[in-house]
Amino acid sequence: MTMETVESQHDGSITASLTESKSAHVQTQTGQNSIPALAQVAAIAETDESAESEGVIDSHKRREILSRRPSYRKILNELSSDVPGVPKIEEERSEEEGTPPSIATMAVPTSIYQTSTGQYTATGDMPTYQIRAPTAALPQGVVMAASPGSLHSPQQLAEEATRKRELRLMKNREAAKECRRRKKEYVKCLESRVAVLEVQNKKLIEELETLKDICSPKTDY
DNA sequence: CTTTTACGACGTCATGAGCG
DNA sequence: CGCTCATGACGTCGTAAAAG
């Protein structure tokens, strides 16, 4: 698929500013764009007229501008500390924090799937995914057993590399799912906060009108 | 009924942040 | 400094709804 289709890509959720991110992507290959980051870019673009008038945006600076913002959890938790009404994104792995990540069966909080055999079986109506069957399946439970120093033959090295790759992919897969979940939660919280603030705003406006009526005597003559 | 479109979810890659 | 985690970007797939 070519790149121009990206524009019409419908990544439904929050990739509203693909054009912006594309330009950033081209320049810095970071592509680390986000909504708050965009806001920052806009804000800085406003205040940093001089730099822009020179026509040269220091790539390093741009990099900083586009650098990754704190995680959703951080933002939301900071928000929630300011505003009592905003719920926190809960730390769901608080208990299994100490457990090594390379466990065969992971205690996924939502219990969406199992990873015991490299097969991702979704419960409910979710589709079933299968990891591309590696030539040497992950030796579940003995992950990280062999140290690189003990490997000799190229084949062993290749197997080790494959195993490491599969492990990394599996972890990243989980991380991506979790990240999306948090993102959705984050958006929901923001939406609910908007609703609350709108109500608040409306009330304040009404109050203001009432006070105006009270304080300003009728000027009938 | 078939095709098109929109959307959500996923897997993977790249990369910055943070930690030991 | 290397490693792991978090997340944006991208491409793909499945599905529901609309259009033909």
Side-chain angles (χ1 to χ4, degrees):
Chain A
M1 193 163 289
T2 55
M3 290 300 281
E4 72 266 15
T5 60
V6 171
E7 192 72 357
S8 63
Q9 273 276 333
H10 43 272
D11 192 12
S13 43
I14 332 230
T15 49
S17 48
L18 273 173
T19 51
E20 280 276 347
S21 84
K22 262 194 288 179
S23 62
H25 201 77
V26 169
Q27 262 222 339
T28 68
Q29 265 301 333
T30 59
Q32 305 306 327
N33 219 334
S34 61
I35 299 162
L38 278 174
Q40 278 186 327
V41 170
I44 292 175
E46 270 184 25
T47 58
D48 210 74
E49 296 276 333
S50 59
E52 205 165 23
S53 66
E54 286 168 13
V56 179
I57 296 177
D58 186 10
S59 65
H60 201 76
K61 197 171 180 181
R62 189 176 175 81
R63 222 182 157 86
E64 280 180 18
I65 293 168
L66 294 173
S67 69
R68 191 182 300 281
R69 56 171 175 68
S71 71
Y72 302 125
R73 199 180 325 190
K74 258 188 189 173
I75 292 174
L76 206 68
N77 289 345
E78 278 173 16
L79 255 179
S80 63
S81 63
D82 292 343
V83 183
V86 179
K88 289 192 175 203
I89 292 181
E90 68 278 12
E91 292 275 356
E92 295 195 314
R93 289 172 309 200
S94 55
E95 285 171 20
E96 50 267 317
E97 200 75 53
T99 61
S102 57
I103 313 169
T105 56
M106 295 176 140
V108 179
T110 49
S111 75
I112 296 174
Y113 45 72
Q114 294 176 335
T115 62
S116 58
T117 60
Q119 184 177 37
Y120 285 54
T121 307
T123 60
D125 57 350
M126 297 184 73
T128 298
Y129 295 92
Q130 259 185 328
I131 289 184
R132 276 177 271 99
T135 50
L138 281 180
Q140 306 288 345
V142 292
V143 178
M144 307 301 278
S147 67
S150 66
L151 295 172
H152 300 298
S153 72
Q155 195 194 347
Q156 275 177 317
L157 285 173
E159 279 180 13
E160 173 73 4
T162 306
R163 188 185 59 77
K164 276 187 177 172
R165 177 184 154 77
E166 292 296 335
L167 183 62
R168 183 170 49 78
L169 289 181
M170 191 184 84
K171 278 187 177 179
N172 189 238
R173 207 177 297 136
E174 307 288 332
K177 281 179 186 169
E178 186 63 15
C179 182
R180 286 179 185 122
R181 188 191 65 78
R182 276 196 300 269
K183 191 174 187 173
K184 281 173 76 176
E185 200 170 336
Y186 170 68
V187 170
K188 269 187 193 170
C189 288
L190 287 184
E191 283 171 351
S192 63
R193 185 151 186 253
V194 166
V196 166
L197 290 176
E198 276 176 350
V199 169
Q200 240 174 32
N201 195 36
K202 200 179 169 186
K203 273 185 187 170
L204 287 173
I205 287 172
E206 284 171 7
E207 202 178 317
L208 180 63
E209 292 301 322
T210 311
L211 288 173
K212 269 186 189 172
D213 285 347
I214 294 172
C215 293
S216 63
K218 278 187 182 174
T219 57
D220 54 335
Y221 52 87

